[in-house]
Amino acid sequence: MSFHTIIFRFVVLSALLLLTAVAHAQPCDLSLRGRVIDDHDRTPLSFAEVFIPELGRGAVSDLDGYYVISGLCRGTYQLRVTHLGCDPVERKVVLDRDLVMDLRLEHHVEELRELEVISTRPDENVGLAREEVGRTELELSAGRSFAEVLHNLPGVTLLNSGPTTSKVVIQGHSGNRVLTLNQGIRQEDQQWGGDHAPNMDPFTADRITVVKGAASVQYGADAIGGVILSEPVELPRTPGIGGEVRGVGIYNGRGGGASGSLHGGLRGIPGFGWRVQGSGRMLGDQQAPEYVLSNTGLREAAGSASVGVQRHWGGATLYYSWFGRDLGVLRAAHIGNLTDLNNAIASGRPWFVAPFTYDIGNPHQTVQHHLFKAEAKYRVSDRNMILLTYGYQGDERKEFDNRRGALRDRPSIDLFLATHTGDAILNHWLGPHIHGKVGVNVVYQENFNQPGTGIRPLIPNYARTSGGVFILEHFPLRDDLELEAGARLEAAHLRVGRFNAANEYETPEHRFTNYAFSAGGNWSIRDHLQLRANIGSAFRPPHVVELYSQGLHHGSAAIERGDPTLPGERSLKATTDLAGSWFEGRLKGSLSLFWDRIDDYIYLRPAGTQLTIRGAFPVFDYVATDAMLHGGDATVEFTLHGPFRVRVRAGTVRGRDLGTNEWLFQMPSDRVEQTLLFNKETWGPLRDAEIALSLRSVFQQQRIPVDLDFMAPPATYQLLALSVSMARPLGDNELRFGLQGANLLNVAYRDYMDRFRYYADAAGTDLSLWVRYAFGSRPTNIP
């Protein structure tokens, strides 16, 4: 039976079951009401927000603390309660009749109860679509890189450089157009390179949120395409020690990984908590269906420590993390002459294949990334708070080429990037219908080329300074309507030190002044139907690599040439997100659409091939053009019977070069994913059993510039994947285990978004078996 036949029958079955459910639909006429009170003295808490995230609906308590949410369907919901001066909490609510529920929040007491803290503020990113990877999804992705954890989200794809390096693509944007916040600090780790994966350990996050849309007002430059928020694990606030250990075995690469963490509090110091964590991962050469992908081994290690105190008046936190990686670059991507390069592209098989090994030879990369954060917050009043944050990052990157003799162990690229960031933000409350934040952000960054490589640097030394001010106001006008508007002004200065083509030292300077605005809204059209809409401008000064890159980029196996005359990018982006649920929540769906006009869009454009003393390589030039990107993604999920559900996701991106009136190079292909899911809270002695079988179809990219690329886009392919997880309670502790399978049918394929598709197929079948044991006290509890 062909893949297309399977897809057809899957869709027909889903449609028949949907029609059956329509015939048995029941009205949504239930209500949830009650009172929000102070757990300490039982006084009412006015203007508390009681919200149901999956419905996008909620209510605000009145002056006497009363709230009511009506027109609800029968089902199980997660209730989120927030109030300034209190810790946000979540509660699970089973609604099968009208329900009265009083909600208690801890307010103005010195010893706070353990509550689950929700990191996402309800008044941020109004109108922008969001996708979230929670704690459970992070567990399912054990042994995967930070980018691979996110690739199943709607609107998210990956830009790969072989099987060892992946970068996140949000609605067609990647690299310097996607901003990543690690523990609240903007990640700075030479992210300009297509082969430079984020130097982050996903085990340090409690959840990862992807904001799809222009978000420059709050976050500044580089947030044209979206923002990735890696939100920290909350520190405990009461005495007791707990932790967890995890292990994973990985089939493709014959390796695995492990991680462990401990957390606790101190008696006599209310609100004090600490946490330490460490992890490691090791893989040998990965395997395509028909051959070994030689020199694609990987070594990773990471560790972090945090300590802090949280009280009713505010709090303070110190955090440090280290991440190290040594990864091989596909040996077949480095070619000796132009004839061999053309033959490698034409043959469909890598020119270099060696037996499997754990050894990592040249070419390869090593990176070490240090992050330190100090944060303090102080409540100047019941509803106003000042937040101060300082961050330091040190990023060391070395890239080794195929050099001989004494030069073999000498890096061809040796960079150290030092970044200092500072933020001062005032969260203010002006009334029940207007509150928000104003803030100042500053960044100082220096890049150093370490001497001794014997090669002219790919990018020069530079110092970059930027500073911005912003205001973002939230307007909850009614229970079913909230608006947000903001503006930002930012200036940047770049000073470069380099030797030009005549070997003369020069120090060119560049200055940029930019502004951004945004306006958005959330509207509950019906009890089961919500609309988000946002329009905003964004900006991005050109990175130094786009201005002055000149030479071979070893990790990408390509020659890259910059242009010092490139201007900064300006973007105007509109997004619309429609989400709804019907038939008592059995049918859920969402549709996200975007339109993005970018002036002076900068990208790498193929420019032929070049033979150097180190081999033959494709050439790419950084060029600027006006561009238009538009597209969308959709998700439909239907509960079949009992614990079984079916989910269909689809995504598309269109990119047009307005200057040449042709398609943009390297835009993601259209894709569809169909998944059969099984969820059961109790299954004999097991808990939270989850099984997912998915079929992903990625279609051949037909919208490409004419006669520009080195080879035709790869053909359409389908991949079958499996995910299984479940937990076994052991008293107060828990054992959780699972299995992940990718490309189960061992399909030989190449992806258009893989820069090494010219040389070899993508990885074949992969299986990973993981286990997690959690013990002792938990940092958070749901009351």
Side-chain angles (χ1 to χ4, degrees):
M1 184 182 298
S2 69
F3 282 105
H4 295 290
T5 302
I6 294 173
I7 294 173
F8 175 76
R9 294 184 178 181
F10 205 3
V11 172
V12 171
L13 177 61
S14 301
L16 291 175
L17 291 169
L18 174 59
L19 292 174
T20 303
V22 170
H24 295 85
Q26 299 182 21
C28 299
D29 55 1
L30 301 181
S31 66
L32 174 65
R33 66 181 67 238
R35 199 180 193 194
V36 185
I37 59 176
D38 189 315
D39 190 46
H40 179 60
D41 57 14
R42 302 300 190 266
T43 57
L45 297 178
S46 57
F47 307 119
E49 295 190 52
V50 184
F51 191 66
I52 303 175
E54 57 261 49
L55 299 182
R57 297 187 54 220
V60 177
S61 60
D62 61 20
L63 292 176
D64 296 318
Y66 290 103
Y67 74 94
V68 58
I69 309 174
S70 57
L72 298 175
C73 304
R74 289 168 174 79
T76 301
Y77 302 101
Q78 200 74 8
L79 194 67
R80 180 179 297 179
V81 189
T82 60
H83 184 267
L84 287 176
C86 302
D87 285 323
V89 300
E90 277 193 350
R91 297 189 68 174
K92 183 178 290 187
V93 177
V94 179
L95 199 64
D96 54 9
R97 63 185 187 280
D98 291 337
L99 185 63
V100 177
M101 177 183 290
D102 289 342
L103 303 169
R104 299 178 180 181
L105 297 180
E106 195 72 42
H107 194 264
H108 284 302
V109 293
E110 291 195 359
E111 185 170 350
L112 301 177
R113 291 176 55 197
E114 292 185 13
L115 301 173
E116 182 171 6
V117 176
I118 305 304
S119 301
T120 305
R121 291 176 54 85
D123 59 345
E124 289 184 355
N125 310 123
V126 170
L128 292 176
R130 306 164 64 92
E131 304 292 345
E132 186 175 282
V133 176
R135 192 175 302 174
T136 300
E137 290 82 1
L138 286 171
E139 289 179 352
L140 293 175
S141 301
R144 305 303 171 192
S145 69
F146 181 85
E148 290 171 325
V149 169
L150 305 177
H151 87 284
N152 285 324
L153 295 178
V156 176
T157 53
L158 296 181
L159 175 64
N160 297 313
S161 293
T164 56
T165 304
S166 300
K167 295 175 72 71
V168 174
V169 180
I170 301 177
Q171 295 179 336
H173 293 292
S174 64
N176 285 319
R177 296 187 190 91
V178 174
L179 178 64
T180 300
L181 293 184
N182 182 10
Q183 309 291 318
I185 304 294
R186 55 185 298 141
Q187 181 81 358
E188 296 288 346
D189 54 1
Q190 307 283 10
Q191 63 268 25
W192 47 267
D195 63 310
H196 298 176
N199 297 328
M200 298 171 58
D201 181 4
F203 286 123
T204 62
D206 184 57
R207 70 185 72 197
I208 303 174
T209 302
V210 175
V211 179
K212 297 183 290 185
S216 284
V217 167
Q218 181 169 348
Y219 302 111
D222 301 343
I224 285 181
V227 181
I228 302 171
L229 307 172
S230 177
E231 301 172 13
V233 178
E234 284 293 317
L235 295 175
R237 303 184 181 184
T238 57
I241 294 179
E244 63 179 35
V245 291
R246 309 187 196 193
V248 59
I250 301 174
Y251 168 73
N252 199 332
R254 308 181 195 180
S259 70
S261 66
L262 282 174
H263 57 255
L266 290 179
R267 297 187 183 277
I269 307 181
F272 180 87
W274 56 269
R275 183 176 187 267
V276 294
Q277 174 268 339
S279 65
R281 187 163 63 120
M282 174 179 173
L283 293 172
D285 287 338
Q286 298 196 44
Q287 177 89 30
E290 299 179 1
Y291 43 78
V292 173
L293 299 169
S294 296
N295 200 48
T296 55
L298 171 72
R299 309 282 189 277
E300 279 185 0
S304 66
S306 56
V307 61
V309 60
Q310 302 295 327
R311 302 287 292 277
H312 67 278
W313 47 262
T317 303
L318 295 177
Y319 174 86
Y320 170 78
S321 67
W322 170 83
F323 180 90
R325 177 192 287 132
D326 183 5
L327 61 87
V329 177
L330 180 69
R331 179 67 180 87
H334 284 235
I335 308 292
N337 57 66
L338 292 176
T339 300
D340 290 344
L341 175 60
N342 294 326
N343 290 339
I345 292 175
S347 69
R349 187 176 180 88
W351 70 271
F352 183 89
V353 177
F356 171 89
T357 179
Y358 288 101
D359 296 335
I360 298 177
N362 290 341
H364 74 108
Q365 306 175 5
T366 65
V367 295
Q368 294 194 57
H369 188 82
H370 303 265
L371 168 64
F372 170 76
K373 182 184 81 168
E375 182 178 84
K377 56 185 178 182
Y378 177 70
R379 298 190 184 277
V380 294
S381 67
D382 183 31
R383 301 178 184 271
N384 300 279
M385 183 174 69
I386 294 176
L387 178 66
L388 302 176
T389 306
Y390 166 76
Y392 168 78
Q393 295 173 79
D395 187 86
E396 179 183 321
R397 166 172 291 273
K398 297 181 180 182
E399 299 186 10
F400 296 82
D401 193 13
N402 286 321
R403 305 168 83 179
R404 299 177 180 179
L407 297 177
R408 175 179 176 81
D409 296 325
R410 183 182 297 182
S412 300
I413 295 178
D414 192 350
L415 300 172
F416 184 80
L417 182 68
T419 307
H420 302 265
T421 61
D423 303 284
I425 297 174
L426 171 65
N427 294 301
H428 58 266
W429 174 278
L430 302 179
H433 298 299
I434 176 172
H435 51 273
K437 60 177 65 175
V438 294
V440 178
N441 316 109
V442 294
V443 177
Y444 178 73
Q445 185 175 79
E446 284 190 273
N447 181 74
F448 305 94
N449 279 280
Q450 305 298 327
T453 64
I455 297 175
R456 183 183 296 273
L458 174 66
I459 64 172
N461 295 338
Y462 67 87
R464 182 174 69 92
T465 305
S466 65
V469 294
F470 73 92
I471 181 170
L472 194 63
E473 295 298 332
H474 182 64
F475 307 96
L477 302 181
R478 304 192 306 262
D479 291 347
D480 62 345
L481 179 63
E482 56 181 343
L483 303 177
E484 183 181 83
R488 181 184 187 91
L489 179 65
E490 182 168 311
H493 174 251
L494 175 67
R495 186 175 187 274
V496 175
R498 67 188 290 263
F499 287 93
N500 60 23
N503 210 32
E504 299 170 338
Y505 188 75
E506 59 183 16
T507 57
E509 297 187 29
H510 301 261
R511 288 181 170 82
F512 304 92
T513 301
N514 291 288
Y515 63 89
F517 74 89
S518 69
N522 297 344
W523 178 30
S524 294
I525 303 172
R526 295 287 187 270
D527 294 336
H528 61 279
L529 190 63
Q530 297 80 42
L531 174 68
R532 294 172 176 263
N534 181 276
I535 184 169
S537 67
F539 58 87
R540 187 181 73 86
H543 193 277
V544 68
V545 71
E546 297 164 330
L547 298 171
Y548 295 103
S549 176
Q550 194 68 39
L552 176 62
H553 188 185
H554 305 277
S556 298
I559 294 171
E560 299 174 359
R561 301 186 302 208
D563 181 355
T565 66
L566 291 175
E569 294 180 342
R570 297 287 312 168
S571 168
L572 180 64
K573 186 171 185 177
T575 60
T576 300
D577 183 64
L578 186 66
S581 62
W582 300 268
F583 315 125
E584 300 182 355
R586 294 185 65 189
L587 175 64
K588 299 178 181 179
S590 65
L591 175 66
S592 296
L593 302 174
F594 71 94
W595 173 91
D596 193 1
R597 164 64 187 253
I598 306 176
D599 293 335
D600 297 312
Y601 175 85
I602 302 172
Y603 70 103
L604 274 173
R605 184 180 177 90
T609 58
Q610 181 176 331
L611 181 63
T612 72
I613 61 173
R614 295 191 295 278
F617 299 93
V619 178
F620 293 83
D621 289 337
Y622 282 103
V623 299
T625 186
D626 293 341
M628 177 77 73
L629 276 69
H630 61 93
D633 53 81
T635 300
V636 177
E637 184 175 304
F638 179 66
T639 300
L640 299 174
H641 177 72
F644 291 96
R645 293 175 293 138
V646 62
R647 183 182 67 208
V648 179
R649 286 174 171 169
T652 182
V653 176
R654 300 288 184 269
R656 196 73 181 171
D657 185 331
L658 301 180
T660 60
N661 194 29
E662 62 181 0
W663 296 109
L664 279 176
F665 175 66
Q666 209 167 44
M667 287 286 109
S669 307
D670 295 343
R671 58 200 62 223
V672 177
E673 182 185 73
Q674 296 158 308
T675 306
L676 180 65
L677 302 110
F678 172 89
N679 294 86
K680 201 169 182 63
E681 291 188 8
T682 303
W683 198 7
L686 302 176
R687 300 290 185 271
D688 300 326
E690 299 183 4
I691 302 175
L693 181 66
S694 65
L695 177 67
R696 174 176 297 180
S697 300
V698 179
F699 299 95
Q700 184 179 35
Q701 179 61 279
Q702 304 285 352
R703 292 158 295 277
I704 60 173
V706 178
D707 298 328
L708 179 66
D709 204 355
F710 303 108
M711 64 182 294
T716 298
Y717 64 88
Q718 290 87 23
L719 302 178
L720 190 66
L722 174 69
S723 174
V724 179
S725 72
M726 54 197 69
R728 174 68 187 269
L730 300 173
D732 294 333
N733 306 324
E734 181 185 76
L735 180 68
R736 190 171 184 89
F737 48 91
L739 173 71
Q740 285 272 95
N743 194 3
L744 294 179
L745 301 183
N746 206 29
V747 174
Y749 73 98
R750 301 190 183 194
D751 190 274
Y752 180 69
M753 296 296 288
D754 190 341
R755 294 189 67 178
F756 284 2
R757 63 185 171 88
Y758 307 115
Y759 314 108
D761 291 340
T765 297
D766 191 15
L767 298 172
S768 59
L769 179 66
W770 59 269
V771 61
R772 176 184 71 92
Y773 177 67
F775 58 90
S777 63
R778 308 293 173 87
T780 58
N781 289 317
I782 298 177

